[in-house]
Amino acid sequence: MRKIELFGATAMALVALLPGAALAQNAPADAAVTQGAAPAQGTGAKGGTGSDASSTGYGADIVVTAQRQAQTLQEVPIAVSAFSAAALEAQQIDNASDLQLTLPNVTFSKGNFSGASFTIRGIGDLCVGISCDAATAIHLNGSPLLATRIFETEYFDLERVEVLRGPQGTLFGRSASSGVVNFISAKPRTDKFAASGEAEYGNFDSIRAKAMINVPLGETLAVRVAGFYLNRNGYTLNTFNDTRIDGRDMYSVRGSIRWEPSVDTTVDVLVSYFKEDDDRLRIQKQLCQTDPTGVLGCLNNRRDGGRTNTNSTFTGTLGSREFLSIAFGSPALGNALGLGSLYGQDGYAGNPILNDPREVFTAFNPTYETDELTVQGRLEHNFGPIKAQLTGFYHETTVDSSQDYNLGVSNRSLIQPTLNTLAAAAAGAVPGLPAAYFQPIARALIPNGPQGDLCTSLPEKSGLGVYGGFSRCGPIPNAYDRSVQRTRDWSAEAIVSSDFDGLFNFLLGGIYVDAKVRDGDYYVNAFAIDYVAGILGSVGALGAGRAPEFSATPFFRSNTDLFRLKSYGIFGEAYFDFTDTLKLTLGARYNNDKKFVRSRSTLASFAVPYTQTGSAFDAPRAALYDADPVIAGIQPYAVRNKTFDEITGRAVLDFKITDDNLLYASYSRGYKSGGFNPPVQVPGLTVPDAFQPEIINAFEIGSKNTFADGKLTLNLTGFYYKYKGLQLSRIVARTSINDNIDANIWGVELESVVRPGPGWVVNFGASYLNTEVSSDAPFINQRDVSGGNPNTVIIKDIGNGSNCVVRANTGGAATAQAFVAGVNAALGLRGPAAFPVDSNTGAATGAFGLCSVLTGASAGTAGAISVLEGIGVSLKGNELPQAPVVKFSAGVQKTFDFANGMSLVPRADLTYTGESFGNIFNGRINRIQGYEQVNAQIQLNGMDERWFVRGFIQNVFDNNATTGLYLTDQSSGLFTNIFTLEPRRYGIAAGFKF
């Protein structure tokens, strides 16, 4: 009801105001619009220089560089939205999450690890892995940013932000297949001294400060320094210890120098540094319809506030009595040393059910550390009608993040009997178990006895973990992950453009990018993994007559030792002005991307003596570890290298009906290079070695219009995309696998600004998007590997935590169930058990088992039984993820000017993002409901705008809506990570400017 009322009120206001624009054609120019309440995107506010942005009246138009030249927004035959510095302030756009709300067909969401993605017109970063390229190119002053932390920082001292929708490869950077987001920093000014400052206090004890100082050093040289600081308490309540987590503590400083040695030459140098060190939650919340059988972990019907059944995880299966009984060939030994039973109580028994997305229950405090250094230098010179630009760019960033892997607290009482047995075995009190083989385990895991603290491996490079003395200890069994990455990249770009008076002009450019990622690692650590690594290693060594050993690494580690990208592009455009009103643009680009990756993935992969020092990989038996099952022989790393290249281009025909009305039609071809799938640990798993490039053929028509002497702007766009090779990620067996599919996309967009009378500005935007998978190749749905086939039994492989499916080719479901029951009986495992009636799986039953054993047994059924990794289903007709069908935004502000030179500017904004899906398989469990957000503020400006005081509120109705989701893999229990809007924020700010 609230949503309908909000839309109704906004629509009534717009209907009432629109006629005023037509009636006001001969009205005098409006009083100036102040910095703090400038028009919204595309409203016509001049860019200015960040905090120095001056006010404008009707008819002015923001200047953008969407085509690598200064043009007014309404002149550019591209679907582009632009926010001036003043518009960013007015619409309370502080970060990437805010930026997407008012943009048509644009969404933003964090990723499952430490990345994030802008999705434009249904095209986003669905590829997961270090070798993946971004679909939306992020730029700073026109230079591409790779692996940027700009998604985490706050915006400050920007001249403007430009968002270009559609492929932009002939003009910008690399891989701009969906579009470009270009952040333009405010430049130093040589004509005046200037300074500004702002301080803000809000709820969650939020303190935010921004400042800028601009100092001319003579007539040709100026320096500008700006920065921000943010510190606030967490948005999320940890009900385990009644503390708040997911807070922020960050700052950034940017220094710029501009030198103008002549009227034709400009030199700009920029250095920026960003730092964050806090308890940010990389994954805010996990949802699960708990599976009581443990075969799936989470069921395929709803996203409830429960947790995965720990018996479904690889720690639950590998540490189970049943698996150890099979592995040791001794039920007695397995029962004595197993941490629990596959058929026993869930390890999260007793944890509260928390449906509130801002409440979690965890004994692990998250950590988040990141920093970013950016250096940019640019030389521009005009040789008469020829302009040359040379840009050098250096960029490095690190990120290191840890948090509770399952956001739950393990029930220690369930494993206490096993801890007592371990202590007894270490003391020589268990007949048949030599103490020497269990003493190293007990010393490492329970150094103060079975009732004392439990120690878990640190996520560290040596691979020795807790058995090398690298541990953290506490009363509760730990389970946490760590995502870490160090990136360095640099680029050089040269552009030459013309400004002739005749028919023909051109732009020609080239760019070279060199990027390197070191230690791109993802770890999963858990007490249960350490325990199993010790027990399996010791018992194995005992049986083989070797000295005591453990299995390394005693944690999951996906290690990208080195990723290297060397890329170059040659691009250009030719412009033919046939008449003053008709123009043709032809562009082309050649892209060449050479990629190299060296990686491996380990989890209890080889035996290491407890006495090993230095590195686990120096142990004698580490030489038997094969990191690359694709290539014959023993490979210490999986090494891949490949070159991807492509020619793309665009053609645009634009026609000026009048100076205020533009029509255009365009075709463009976008490209994003392919890459490599990470190595897997599960033998026999069918995984493509690499994934292919994406190609997009985009057709667009548009109209840009200004009416009533600038009092109304109305821009319309329609587009159709043929998408080939969309890169799509799924998590399988603890690794990210990327596939390729085809899709068709079409939609329409509207952006409008009305200035109906003195002091009034109303902006309106809307979009419709239709996305549809066009290829019908089958894909396995990890949530339901049965593919909807009722003649199947879903199996949880207790050797690795993955799922497979047993299918009866004759005889129906009863045949499949009887087959599984017979094979399992010989292993000491139970037969199939029924899933709950609301599980939404094709298979009626599931069972724990060993897929390899079942596969071997199926050979004797004369084709009656098949054991498969899964049964694929066609995705044809499904919608793409993060592609809302509709979006709507509206904002209104009014400037009240007082006789003493002061002004008061209230503003309100409403945005609505329609329903979408968070996963390519669509369905009820992947549905993201539509959501709205309302922001409001009121600002009092002093005389000559020298100072201001502002009160603000964001997310007025405290909407907790989900904005994105990500499915984890089968060995982690198929829980769903979700990302939400920020909660309601309110506060007061004051600032000055001179």
Side-chain angles (χ1 to χ4, degrees):
M1 188 65 184
R2 178 190 302 158
K3 188 185 305 176
I4 296 174
E5 292 170 351
L6 288 169
F7 287 168
T10 304
M12 290 175 65
L14 290 171
V15 170
L17 292 169
L18 280 169
L23 294 173
Q25 291 186 33
N26 299 316
D30 182 27
V33 179
T34 62
Q35 172 206 342
Q41 76 274 16
T43 63
K46 289 181 180 176
T49 52
S51 298
D52 305 329
S54 61
S55 59
T56 65
Y58 289 136
D61 205 350
I62 189 169
V63 176
V64 298
T65 52
Q67 294 195 123
R68 294 285 193 175
Q69 55 185 309
Q71 297 172 287
T72 62
L73 186 71
Q74 294 300 96
E75 292 179 306
V76 181
I78 295 174
V80 55
S81 301
F83 297 82
S84 66
L88 294 171
E89 292 284 350
Q91 292 190 285
Q92 302 188 58
I93 298 173
D94 298 318
N95 50 46
S97 182
D98 298 332
L99 182 63
Q100 54 99 18
L101 289 174
T102 57
L103 291 167
N105 281 327
V106 176
T107 61
F108 171 81
S109 182
K110 293 290 291 180
N112 205 42
F113 300 98
S114 55
S117 169
F118 277 104
T119 298
I120 301 179
R121 294 176 174 175
I123 303 173
D125 296 328
L126 305 179
C127 179
V128 176
I130 285 177
S131 68
C132 295
D133 289 334
T136 302
I138 308 300
H139 285 69
L140 176 64
N141 298 324
S143 295
L145 285 167
L146 279 65
T148 175
R149 312 321 305 170
I150 206 164
F151 300 121
E152 284 139 16
T153 189
E154 300 276 306
Y155 300 157
F156 68 99
D157 200 41
L158 294 175
E159 181 177 313
R160 66 185 180 277
V161 178
E162 301 173 6
V163 181
L164 288 66
R165 301 185 293 278
Q168 306 295 329
T170 59
L171 289 172
F172 282 94
R174 303 181 57 254
S175 305
S177 56
S178 72
V180 170
V181 181
N182 194 13
F183 296 91
I184 312 298
S185 64
K187 305 301 188 295
R189 297 179 59 163
T190 59
D191 60 337
K192 69 173 185 177
F193 174 84
S196 65
E198 177 181 335
E200 173 191 301
Y201 180 77
N203 58 331
F204 298 99
D205 281 333
S206 175
I207 298 172
R208 177 188 278 119
K210 300 179 182 179
M212 178 279 297
I213 185 169
N214 184 93
V215 181
L217 301 175
E219 296 182 354
T220 63
L221 184 66
V223 175
R224 188 183 188 103
V225 179
F228 90 91
Y229 172 72
L230 172 64
N231 185 289
R232 67 161 172 81
N233 290 338
Y235 289 155
T236 300
L237 175 65
N238 182 6
T239 60
F240 175 75
N241 53 16
D242 197 30
T243 61
R244 303 204 72 88
I245 55 177
D246 200 24
R248 299 292 185 270
D249 189 356
M250 61 173 71
Y251 70 89
S252 185
V253 179
R254 182 192 306 133
S256 306
I257 299 173
R258 168 162 282 189
W259 180 38
E260 299 172 335
S262 73
V263 294
D264 292 319
T265 306
T266 302
V267 179
D268 284 305
V269 178
L270 175 148
V271 179
S272 179
Y273 180 73
F274 167 70
K275 174 71 174 179
E276 178 178 359
D277 187 356
D278 48 41
D279 59 358
R280 178 196 289 261
L281 276 169
R282 189 179 65 253
I283 303 302
Q284 176 189 329
K285 180 78 171 182
Q286 295 171 353
L287 299 179
C288 175
Q289 179 191 0
T290 307
D291 171 19
T293 71
V295 171
L296 292 172
C298 298
L299 298 174
N300 186 39
N301 195 40
R302 301 185 306 272
R303 300 195 305 267
D304 292 344
R307 291 172 181 79
T308 189
N309 186 330
T310 57
N311 293 334
S312 71
T313 66
F314 67 90
T315 57
T317 61
L318 293 176
S320 68
R321 299 181 187 120
E322 290 79 8
F323 174 75
L324 294 180
S325 294
I326 296 170
F328 298 154
S330 168
L333 191 57
N335 289 334
L337 297 177
L339 286 173
S341 171
L342 295 171
Y343 311 105
Q345 197 170 14
D346 183 354
Y348 288 139
N351 281 212
I353 301 298
L354 301 173
N355 293 308
D356 189 327
R358 306 200 196 284
E359 291 184 351
V360 297
F361 189 73
T362 174
F364 185 90
N365 197 52
T367 62
Y368 199 94
E369 298 179 33
T370 184
D371 61 6
E372 182 170 30
L373 173 67
T374 303
V375 181
Q376 183 182 53
R378 175 167 292 161
L379 170 64
E380 292 185 357
H381 185 76
N382 291 322
F383 299 90
I386 301 294
K387 179 181 178 180
Q389 180 188 97
L390 180 63
T391 304
F393 193 79
Y394 177 81
H395 176 233
E396 62 181 39
T397 180
T398 63
V399 61
D400 193 340
S401 167
S402 290
Q403 74 171 71
D404 187 334
Y405 187 67
N406 292 108
L407 290 176
V409 178
S410 295
N411 187 338
R412 176 171 175 162
S413 66
L414 299 179
I415 65 171
Q416 192 59 52
T418 305
L419 299 178
N420 296 337
T421 301
L422 173 61
V430 178
L433 298 182
Y437 285 81
F438 296 90
Q439 287 170 349
I441 306 175
R443 280 197 302 265
L445 303 185
I446 49 173
N448 297 315
Q451 304 300 323
D453 283 351
L454 309 180
C455 297
T456 304
S457 287
L458 291 173
E460 46 78 39
K461 294 182 180 180
S462 78
L464 299 174
V466 69
Y467 298 111
F470 304 103
S471 65
R472 68 169 73 216
C473 305
I476 295 171
N478 266 317
Y480 62 98
D481 69 357
R482 181 189 182 200
S483 180
V484 60
Q485 183 172 302
R486 294 188 296 124
T487 303
R488 185 275 300 155
D489 61 90
W490 63 269
S491 64
E493 183 178 51
I495 295 176
V496 177
S497 60
S498 69
D499 188 17
F500 302 131
D501 291 331
L503 165 70
F504 173 75
N505 276 287
F506 70 90
L507 180 147
L508 181 63
I511 186 171
Y512 179 80
V513 177
D514 188 297
K516 182 185 294 185
V517 177
R518 299 303 302 261
D519 303 325
D521 289 353
Y522 181 68
Y523 300 84
V524 178
N525 294 65
F527 175 81
I529 302 177
D530 288 313
Y531 175 82
V532 170
I535 291 296
L536 288 176
S538 280
V539 174
L542 177 62
R546 298 192 300 268
E549 298 170 333
F550 68 95
S551 294
T553 56
F555 43 76
F556 169 73
R557 182 189 183 194
S558 177
N559 167 227
T560 299
D561 180 64
L562 174 64
F563 170 73
R564 188 75 182 263
L565 167 71
K566 294 184 178 182
S567 172
Y568 69 88
I570 301 171
F571 55 91
E573 292 195 335
Y575 310 104
F576 301 91
D577 291 283
F578 298 119
T579 68
D580 291 340
T581 59
L582 183 64
K583 180 179 180 179
L584 174 67
T585 300
L586 297 175
R589 179 187 185 94
Y590 174 72
N591 229 65
N592 185 289
D593 299 298
K594 184 176 182 180
K595 295 184 176 181
F596 169 91
V597 65
R598 183 169 64 234
S599 60
R600 62 187 175 194
S601 181
T602 56
L603 171 65
S605 301
F606 52 89
V608 175
Y610 288 106
T611 56
Q612 181 70 42
T613 59
S615 171
F617 293 93
D618 295 332
R621 295 183 66 79
L624 302 177
Y625 162 68
D626 183 13
D628 189 353
V630 175
I631 297 178
I634 302 297
Q635 310 295 328
Y637 285 96
V639 178
R640 301 286 184 271
N641 61 83
K642 189 172 183 179
T643 299
F644 303 89
D645 65 341
E646 192 71 30
I647 296 176
T648 60
R650 74 167 182 146
V652 186
L653 186 67
D654 61 271
F655 176 66
K656 278 189 177 181
I657 302 173
T658 71
D659 287 341
D660 294 325
N661 304 97
L662 175 71
L663 291 175
Y664 68 90
S666 71
Y667 163 77
S668 55
R669 190 167 190 261
Y671 158 77
K672 188 172 83 165
S673 65
F676 312 108
N677 285 318
V680 297
Q681 298 175 338
V682 179
L685 186 65
T686 304
V687 174
D689 190 42
F691 52 90
Q692 300 305 308
E694 293 183 355
I695 300 292
I696 176 173
N697 291 295
F699 303 85
E700 183 173 314
I701 58 173
S703 173
K704 294 193 172 185
N705 306 280
T706 303
F707 301 107
D709 294 329
K711 296 177 178 64
L712 171 64
T713 60
L714 180 65
N715 297 339
L716 296 167
T717 309
F719 58 91
Y720 175 76
Y721 290 175
K722 290 287 290 184
Y723 212 116
K724 182 177 177 58
L726 174 70
Q727 295 164 2
L728 184 70
S729 173
R730 55 193 169 100
I731 305 297
V732 181
R734 301 178 294 282
T735 194
S736 175
I737 307 302
N738 297 286
D739 305 295
N740 296 89
I741 61 170
D742 300 336
N744 296 328
I745 303 171
W746 66 269
V748 292
E749 299 162 348
L750 178 149
E751 292 180 283
S752 178
V753 179
V754 185
R755 304 171 183 88
W760 284 97
V761 178
V762 180
N763 65 282
F764 177 83
S767 60
Y768 173 83
L769 183 65
N770 181 284
T771 63
E772 185 176 273
V773 175
S774 59
S775 54
D776 55 9
F779 285 82
I780 298 170
N781 183 354
Q782 301 303 305
R783 293 188 192 269
D784 178 14
V785 295
S786 74
N789 189 325
N791 300 320
T792 58
V793 177
I794 297 176
I795 303 298
K796 168 64 67 172
D797 192 315
I798 64 175
N800 55 53
S802 66
N803 287 124
C804 66
V805 61
V806 172
R807 182 184 66 192
N809 301 317
T810 59
T815 299
Q817 293 168 18
F819 170 76
V820 172
V823 174
N824 276 7
L827 296 172
L829 301 174
R830 298 179 187 177
F835 290 117
V837 293
D838 63 345
S839 64
N840 193 30
T841 59
T845 60
F848 293 98
L850 287 170
C851 296
S852 59
V853 175
L854 290 163
T855 299
S858 68
T861 65
I865 295 291
S866 296
V867 181
L868 310 167
E869 179 186 331
I871 299 175
V873 295
S874 173
L875 299 177
K876 190 171 185 178
N878 282 16
E879 295 180 25
L880 298 180
Q882 295 296 129
V885 176
V886 296
K887 284 195 71 178
F888 167 94
S889 66
V892 59
Q893 70 180 46
K894 165 66 175 174
T895 301
F896 298 93
D897 292 305
F898 304 131
N900 63 359
M902 297 174 65
S903 62
L904 185 69
V905 187
R907 179 180 178 92
D909 288 279
L910 162 69
T911 66
Y912 175 72
T913 301
E915 184 179 276
S916 64
F917 292 98
N919 186 290
I920 194 69
F921 287 95
N922 294 183
R924 185 166 52 246
I925 195 170
N926 296 312
R927 190 183 307 276
I928 299 174
Q929 298 294 333
Y931 59 90
E932 71 280 345
Q933 179 166 323
V934 177
N935 298 334
Q937 70 174 21
I938 185 168
Q939 179 164 311
L940 176 66
N941 298 296
M943 291 181 290
D944 298 323
E945 301 178 24
R946 294 301 186 187
W947 57 266
F948 71 87
V949 177
R950 178 173 63 240
F952 67 90
I953 182 169
Q954 290 182 318
N955 194 358
V956 173
F957 299 106
D958 199 21
N959 194 334
N960 290 332
T962 297
T963 61
L965 59 86
Y966 199 95
L967 174 67
T968 192
D969 89 315
Q970 299 160 342
S971 68
S972 297
L974 294 173
F975 58 79
T976 302
N977 294 321
I978 66 165
F979 312 96
T980 72
L981 291 173
E982 291 191 343
R984 178 168 52 224
R985 291 186 58 251
Y986 53 85
I988 188 169
F992 68 89
K993 181 183 72 171
F994 61 85

